[in-house]
Amino acid sequence: MSIVTEVAAADSATALAHFERALRFETDCWDVHSVLGTPEQDFVLLDVRGTDSYARGHVPGAVDLAQRKIVAAKLADYPADTVFVTYCAGPHCNGAARAAIRLARLGRPVKIMTGGVTGWLDEGFTLVPA
């Protein structure tokens, strides 16, 4: 038995429930890229790093809204059922999670784009300056 299997894998039903649940909270850079700017885009992408970072380069189509500035008044123009997808600098940054908490506290549906800017660039996608 290896270190990988010394703790048994979950049964299929448990694994299915776990992984489906995880995807209710996150998406990835490739999936976001695949629908940005198309009729299938059904979310608002939020760059939550701050205006200076956004200006230096952001995911095309992202809205600049630093996580500390997420308040009800800033979201007033969006319908209540708008899904927001947050991202920050990368896996070393918890800004996307902090933003997701703020959105959830405001009763807004939210997911995190895992990988953030680092993941976006790792996929070979480009950033655009403001």
Side-chain angles (χ1 to χ4, degrees):
M1 182 176 301
S2 75
I3 194 166
V4 172
T5 59
E6 72 182 26
V7 174
D11 63 83
S12 296
T14 303
L16 177 62
H18 170 79
F19 293 116
E20 284 182 340
R21 185 172 189 269
L23 289 180
R24 294 179 70 197
F25 301 102
E26 63 187 48
T27 186
D28 66 16
C29 299
W30 189 268
D31 290 346
V32 169
H33 180 268
S34 72
V35 296
L36 275 178
T38 72
E40 289 80 31
Q41 183 176 344
D42 54 0
F43 59 89
V44 173
L45 185 62
L46 294 181
D47 183 317
V48 301
R49 299 173 298 152
T51 300
D52 290 342
S53 295
Y54 179 89
R56 284 191 298 276
H58 59 274
V59 173
V63 174
D64 175 23
L65 185 56
Q67 61 95 6
R68 289 191 171 113
K69 295 181 180 181
I70 295 174
V71 294
K74 298 272 186 174
L75 306 176
D77 291 337
Y78 298 102
D81 62 347
T82 300
V83 174
F84 292 93
V85 175
T86 64
Y87 75 88
C88 61
H92 58 284
C93 177
N94 66 9
R98 291 178 181 275
I101 289 169
R102 290 172 90 76
L103 287 158
R105 284 184 175 153
L106 292 169
R108 298 305 192 118
V110 61
K111 289 186 174 198
I112 292 173
M113 183 179 80
T114 59
V117 169
T118 300
W120 189 263
L121 295 172
D122 284 351
E123 291 288 355
F125 306 138
T126 58
L127 301 175
V128 295

